[in-house]
Amino acid sequence: MRQQLRSRRAPTFPHGYRYRLDDQDEVNQNYLADEEEEAEEEARVMRVPNLEEEEKEEEQKEEEEGQGQPTGNTWWQKLQLMNEYLWDPEQRMSLARTGLILVIYFFFYASLAAVITVCMYTLFLTISAYMPTFTERVKPAGVMIRPFAHSLNFNFNVSEPDTWQHYVISLNGFLQGYNDSLQEEMNVDCPPGQYFIQDGNEDEDKKACQFKRSFLKNCSGLEDPTFGYSTGQPCILLKMNRIVGFRPELGDPVKVSCKVQRGDENDIRSIHYYPESASFDLRYYPYYGKLTHVNYTSPLVAMHFTDVVKNQAVPVQCQLKGKGIINDVINDHFVAAGTLHDAEEARASRM
Amino acid sequence: MAPGSACPLPPTPPPSRVLCCCTRWSSGHQEGEPSGQRGPAGPHTSAQRCQYCTLVLFQKTPEIYSVELNGTKDIDKTDKGDGKEKYRGLKNKPSNCKKNHQIQEIKEELDLNDHKLSNEDLEKKYGTNIITGLSSARAAELLARDGPNALSPPKETPETVKFLKQMVGGFSILLWIGAILCWVAYGIQYSNDPSSSLDNVYLGAVLVLVVILTGTFAYYQEAKSTNIIASFSKMIPQQALVIRDAEKKTIPSEQLVVGDIVEIKGGDQIPADIRLLSSQGCKVDNSSLTGESEPQVRSCDFTHDNPLETKNMCFYSTTCLEGVATGMVINTGDSTIIGQIASLASGVGDEKTPIAIEIEHFVHIVAGVSVSIGIIFFIITVSMKYPVLDSIIFLIGVIVANVPEGLLATVTVTLSLTAKRMAKKNCLVKNLEAVETLGSTSIICSDKTGTLTQNRMTVAHLWFDNQIFMADTSEDHSNQIFDQSSGTWTSLSKIITLCNRAEFKPGQENVPIMKKTVIGDASETALLKFSEVILGDVMEIRKRNRKVAEIPFNSTNKFQLSIHETDDPNDKRFLMVMKGAPERILEKCSTIMINGQEQPLDESRATFHTAYMELGGLGERVLGFCHLYLPADEFPETYSFDVDTMNFPTSNLCFVGLLSMIDPPRSTVPNAVTRCRSAGIKVIMVTGDHPITAKAIARNAGIISANSETVEDIAKCLNIAVEQVNKWDAKAAVVTGMELKDMSPEQLDELLANHSEIVFARTSPQQKLIIVEGCQRLGAVVAVTGDGVNDSPALKKADIGIAMGIAGSDAAKNAADMVLLDDNFASIVTGVEEGRLIFDNLKKTMAYTLTKNMAMVFPFMLYTIVGFPLPIATVTTLFIDLGTDIIPFIALAYEKAERDIMNRKPRHKKDRLVNKPLVLYSLLHVGVIVTLGAFVVYFTVYAQAGFRPSTLIGLRVKWEKDDVNDLEDSYGQEWTRYQRQYLEWTGYTAFFIAIMVQQIANLIIRKTRRNSIFQQGLFSNKVIWVGIASQIIIALILSYGLGSVTALNCTMLRVQYWFVALPYAILIWVYDEVRKLFIRLYPGGWWDKNMYY
């Protein structure tokens, strides 16, 4: 097998090289654990003095082999060819050669690794740990709704808790971080209606403003643990994506407004917003990044659909309104233009 | 030369042959041979050898035709049946019938007996009348029956098959599989979720589109190059003068039918196989059929059983040189002897060209690698619990990334570019792939006449005043340096001028002398041109020396004589001038002119013989010249000379000089042969000429180099018998057809292997095939030149058959892979150089292509295994393969040779186009750098947008979830799905541009394989820069122009990202320069062996 796999090129080393290759043998052993090969290697060392003869022999052998093999373009030959490319199975010399090759490749890749390390290091030097270099890809800010369901269709039956229980669980889980006690403990109560700007070094820890669960009133889950789902008046929370350094226009906080996207305006007769301003207060901006702004709590706006037509799909579009907010990005339902038909309270069937 | 030898005069031997006999060697050799029957290995002999296998293809039993004319229907039926039988007979031959059999058939005699019949029998047999010809109606009938009188073109592969081959050849199969997998994947997706995205459908469609586009393109390229050939081989329709309805009519020769009476005259091509009925001084050139280059006399006598030898037959495609003749058409179209040979030769299958094998090898490597990586990948992804569907998509991605889609189409372009370049240098390549075959040629078997030589007799040496002078034999004769001051030369030049019947055709005043057409035979033409160049207006000289009597050359006299008035008005004597075979001339002389003075001949006789022997030994045709001033008292002005009674002295003349002529090698040939030799190509000369001439030309052309000796030379030198010389001591060998005939294949192999310089003389065209096969047995890539129809099997058999564009017959051109437009051997060498260059350049192209594979496969690995967001999409990889890389591929074809191209040995069959060092260096060295560079850009884009590399690990699953619209990055920012998607596209674009930037460096380094770029010249190849510009422009367009088209997944990239990969591009360049430096420093060393591709 080994014989057959040998390369057709006879090993023709310049004599000067043999000496050096022998030196490589020690190195080779690191790479070649195969006992059989080691044995062969020993054999080679012993035979070194009459190498020339051997080469002749080898050539002869090879010729014989060449004659013995079928000359067609068989799959077997192709396989051999492939094998040659993957691994050079030449005897004796090849061991040394393979070793040398491995050493050279090792150094080559080591130096490449060094180069890439230097490059990456330089890259990190140019990048601030606190402030992303470019934020244009993440702007305009997206919005996300809670409860987190894998689709945007809210479809439940009031009389069957199974159909809405997971919404409740999701909301509850999400709002754990907003618990009043936690907020009061971790964060500061900062004045509303103005940016909460914290000057000082980039690497200083920043304080975060409180956003208490209780701000959400009826949608806080404190009074109604089912967030209105049990009564067919579901709550949906709207969260604006965090962007480092993003500041809404001064004095004009981002407002949320929802309406029926298509169809009858009267399908939704009333929506309550909590906080009542239906806006994200300025005090929650700017965001300083998660490294220093550890306890930052994203502001929320809850929408309480208190009177919605039942048993019918209602596409709802909620938009963020405010200066510097683009709300008509076509391709992205989640950029500012808001959650699209999130409140498809379809078939909230109460049959 | 043989005026009015109308039948039934006894046939005269061709005079030029007799001239040939003047020389010492040829008289010795040719004595035993009857003229008209040239080599012992002529068609006749080979026919005899094959008597046992006679195939009765052409037997038409006279009985059938002896029925009455109104029974034509019966005839038709019988004949049709006959025809079918013939056809079946051909078809039923065992399909494994090897060429040898077919060749035997070619060699074999055709059972044609029309030449034996009397005119009356012929009339009866073909239902025609010798005086009135066929009736038009009958002719039309026969035309409908037999079809037009033209060779049916060789069967071509149907266009649709060719097109389909392009559609499924090479990588296309892989891409088809990819496309089908895409659609299958979509089908499964759709059955699970009807709203699933159409991405896979699009990808499949793109792949199919790619296959169809590249396939169509390659097909178009091939078709275009085939069309060049088609337009070339289209000939001006021939006309034939035919007697029909008792009228002479000129009709296209295609409309000739059996039984037509045609008239031919000098210069015509014989329009069909013809049995002569009457002839006047008709001579034909049968070289295209038998390889015999001497003109042959044709009369209406039946002189030989063999139809090819008898004088009363003329064959289709041969040429009538002079005289007129009338004959009856006995075979037309494919049933002519030529047609038969041509159709048999065209049945010989083509073998794969070396480059086709190499490209197939490359395809196998790439396909093997991509499929195996794909499958390993598939297994990994499946075992990583990816859905099978996703794994299939990854598999497709890997395959598409690995396969250089645009490569094969551009290889076709590259080859056709070279073909065009070669066509400019007078090598018209019929088969694109043959472009490279010429480059790997290791043996060239070349014709002598016309290819190595100028194909015209030229005065080579003069002997007068006891000295040999050399004449300039170059193409324009411009440089005649011999001593022209001697009085002897004045006399000699007068004889040359006057004793000559050749004349320039009128109306050629502006044509250079050497190119003027001359009426007269080859020797006289040579003398005429020679004297015209030296003396000026020969016609004017002849006018001043009015000819009063003349005895033209004939074979019994072996001299030519004319008597002139002199141009000196005071000299009332007549001048008698004579030329002829030197011995004959010398016999008639008693004095010799030395330095313008007449001296007794006696002491000069010895020097004459030495000179004669020497010139004869050079293989030259020697003529002697003498003159005599007839005393004015005996021969007054009014004397009437009678050539029949010879009432003037023809002895005791004054010998003036000798002049020898040869068909000299083209002036470019010796240099070309030297170049061949330094390029490791063995040049074998194969000729029908006499060995001595052949050897002389071979020496002049350098085919036998100055210091090498043949066995005969050694024998002569050591003064021993030829048999005693060790055969292998001689470097050169001159082998005659006769010796070749007696050789076993083993002996021939031995001969070919052991002599580096071989000349085959007196060979028949058929023996060329034996020589070619011998060479191929030695593993050589053989190029063969040929012009005759009988050469076509050898042309087919050769790895590359080269037909002569001027002298070549159509059959030879059809069989050949290449046509030499100027019939010049030197053009072959140019072709070899181009062929080697294209091989080198294709190697560079392959290396260039392979490099980026790493950078296209790695992203998929990291995507699936490490979980990075996808660095480059499948579609984007296509932008590289089919966009930015296309023009650079082609640009590399324009790269000039690194200096040593013609100094190295021909490529061994085992030297692959894509070899191990190439693959390893491209993938594991440069490829790795490109990959790293591209990833650095990728990481930069993501890190600057907020995703540090550490965040990216394992991010894939979340990243691709459509309902996660607040994915946090390293800064705590939240990204919607669309924002992430857009960032991903930016990543694609950045990755793509990073590869592109590094491919620029890759392109530059691929300009050379051994030399430094600066040795080669950075700007030496302008097209490379066009390629670089195209890369940049396409990238700019994709990024900034079409950045808004979402389907392309490209975005406007920040300007600085274009430069991030630049250090890596520079690194590639520097690394490659270092590699080349070590290769140059330690040639043959370890580094050279492993790093030189």
Side-chain angles (χ1 to χ4, degrees), chain B residues 1020-1091:
Chain B
S1020 63
N1021 179 359
K1022 302 277 185 298
V1023 189
I1024 289 277
W1025 292 93
V1026 173
I1028 291 174
S1030 82
Q1031 287 183 305
I1032 295 171
I1033 290 167
I1034 290 173
L1036 281 173
I1037 290 174
L1038 282 175
S1039 173
Y1040 297 115
L1042 304 171
S1044 50
V1045 182
T1046 45
L1048 298 180
N1049 300 351
C1050 275
T1051 61
M1052 309 253 245
L1053 199 66
R1054 280 180 176 274
V1055 179
Q1056 62 262 43
Y1057 292 146
W1058 286 66
F1059 299 96
V1060 176
L1062 204 59
Y1064 288 87
I1066 294 165
L1067 178 68
I1068 290 172
W1069 193 343
V1070 171
Y1071 181 64
D1072 195 61
E1073 281 295 328
V1074 170
R1075 178 188 74 94
K1076 288 169 185 163
L1077 180 70
F1078 275 111
I1079 288 173
R1080 291 196 302 275
L1081 283 183
Y1082 305 107
W1086 181 89
W1087 184 267
D1088 188 13
K1089 283 209 177 78
N1090 285 282
M1091 299 296 274

Side-chain angles (χ1 to χ4, degrees), chain A residues 92-112:
Chain A
R92 298 191 288 272
M93 297 309 281
S94 74
L95 299 180
R97 189 188 288 181
T98 316
L100 186 58
I101 288 172
L102 287 176
V103 170
I104 283 187
Y105 272 94
F106 176 77
F107 280 113
F108 176 65
Y109 288 135
S111 36
L112 277 187

Side-chain angles (χ1 to χ4, degrees), chain A residues 8 12-14 17 78 81 84-85 88 97 100-101 104-105 108-109 112 115-116 119-120 123-124 126-140 142 144 146 148 150 239-244 287 289-290 331-332 334-335, chain B residues 360-361 364-365 369 910 914-916 919-920 924-925 928-929 932 936 939-940 943-946 948-949 963-966 968-976 978-979 982-983 986 1051-1052 1054 1056-1057 1064 1067 1071 1084-1087 1089-1090:
Chain A
R8 287 166 303 183
T12 46
F13 265 73
Y17 259 96
K78 278 177 195 164
L81 218 71
E84 264 174 50
Y85 280 96
D88 184 353
R97 189 188 288 181
L100 186 58
I101 288 172
I104 283 187
Y105 272 94
F108 176 65
Y109 288 135
L112 277 187
V115 169
I116 199 167
C119 274
M120 294 308 286
L123 171 65
F124 288 131
T126 61
I127 291 175
S128 154
Y130 310 103
M131 183 70 198
T133 318
F134 304 116
T135 49
E136 88 266 1
R137 288 279 172 260
V138 73
K139 277 178 188 164
M144 187 62 186
R146 289 289 187 274
F148 182 81
H150 291 277
K239 173 174 77 86
M240 195 162 82
N241 281 352
R242 291 192 291 265
I243 295 171
V244 175
Y287 174 54
K290 77 174 176 189
N331 292 315
D332 190 353
F334 294 95
V335 168
Chain B
E360 199 172 77
H361 177 239
H364 283 164
I365 290 177
V369 167
K910 280 176 188 167
V914 177
N915 51 19
K916 198 164 77 176
V919 174
L920 292 183
L924 296 185
H925 294 236
V928 168
I929 300 180
L932 290 182
V936 165
F939 285 135
T940 310
Q944 295 202 330
R948 285 162 166 269
D963 44 18
V964 175
N965 279 304
D966 52 356
E968 232 177 71
D969 66 12
S970 322
Y971 294 94
Q973 304 185 100
E974 289 166 321
W975 294 69
T976 66
Y978 180 76
Q979 285 165 344
Y982 200 76
L983 179 63
T986 311
T1051 61
M1052 309 253 245
R1054 280 180 176 274
Q1056 62 262 43
Y1057 292 146
Y1064 288 87
L1067 178 68
Y1071 181 64
W1086 181 89
W1087 184 267
K1089 283 209 177 78
N1090 285 282

Side-chain angles (χ1 to χ4, degrees), chain B residues 347-503:
Chain B
V348 177
D350 284 319
E351 273 155 39
K352 263 186 192 159
T353 57
I355 195 71
I357 294 169
E358 290 308 318
I359 287 175
E360 199 172 77
H361 177 239
F362 173 74
V363 169
H364 283 164
I365 290 177
V366 170
V369 167
S370 59
V371 167
S372 41
I373 291 181
I375 287 172
I376 292 169
F377 217 57
F378 185 77
I379 295 168
I380 292 175
T381 46
V382 167
S383 55
M384 282 175 75
K385 303 271 159 44
Y386 280 98
V388 176
L389 204 64
D390 285 2
S391 305
I392 291 177
I393 304 289
F394 299 152
L395 176 73
I396 297 165
V398 168
I399 290 176
V400 173
N402 256 309
V403 170
E405 288 83 6
L407 183 71
L408 295 188
T410 42
V411 166
T412 321
V413 176
T414 308
L415 289 176
S416 66
L417 278 174
T418 308
K420 258 185 208 160
R421 209 150 51 186
M422 283 165 85
K424 260 186 213 156
K425 293 174 180 172
N426 291 321
C427 297
L428 195 71
V429 180
K430 280 172 61 185
N431 174 3
L432 274 189
E433 286 164 350
V435 167
E436 193 278 328
T437 316
L438 200 55
S440 49
T441 299
S442 51
I443 295 183
I444 300 177
C445 292
S446 176
D447 276 345
K448 178 179 109 18
T449 313
T451 312
L452 291 167
T453 66
Q454 299 170 17
N455 197 16
R456 47 148 202 222
M457 277 299 180
T458 306
V459 176
H461 291 95
L462 304 99
W463 179 82
F464 56 86
D465 294 347
N466 288 336
Q467 275 183 62
I468 291 179
F469 297 94
M470 217 153 82
D472 179 19
T473 53
S474 67
E475 273 83 346
D476 56 358
H477 275 218
S478 54
N479 195 19
Q480 300 292 4
I481 42 156
F482 63 90
D483 178 22
Q484 297 176 8
S485 57
S486 162
T488 318
W489 164 246
T490 321
S491 302
L492 184 59
S493 63
K494 199 161 237 173
I495 306 172
I496 295 170
T497 321
L498 298 179
C499 188
N500 192 334
R501 290 160 48 102
E503 283 174 23

Side-chain angles (χ1 to χ4, degrees), chain B residues 83-115:
Chain B
K84 266 182 197 163
E85 204 109 299
K86 271 190 253 169
Y87 186 66
R88 210 179 300 138
L90 280 171
K91 271 246 157 156
N92 286 351
K93 261 178 248 159
S95 54
N96 60 356
C97 179
K98 283 275 146 74
K99 258 175 219 169
N100 282 345
H101 294 171
Q102 292 174 323
I103 298 322
Q104 298 240 315
E105 282 156 20
I106 294 167
K107 289 172 188 166
E108 111 203 354
E109 186 179 340
L110 302 153
D111 197 358
L112 199 67
N113 56 10
D114 288 340
H115 54 296

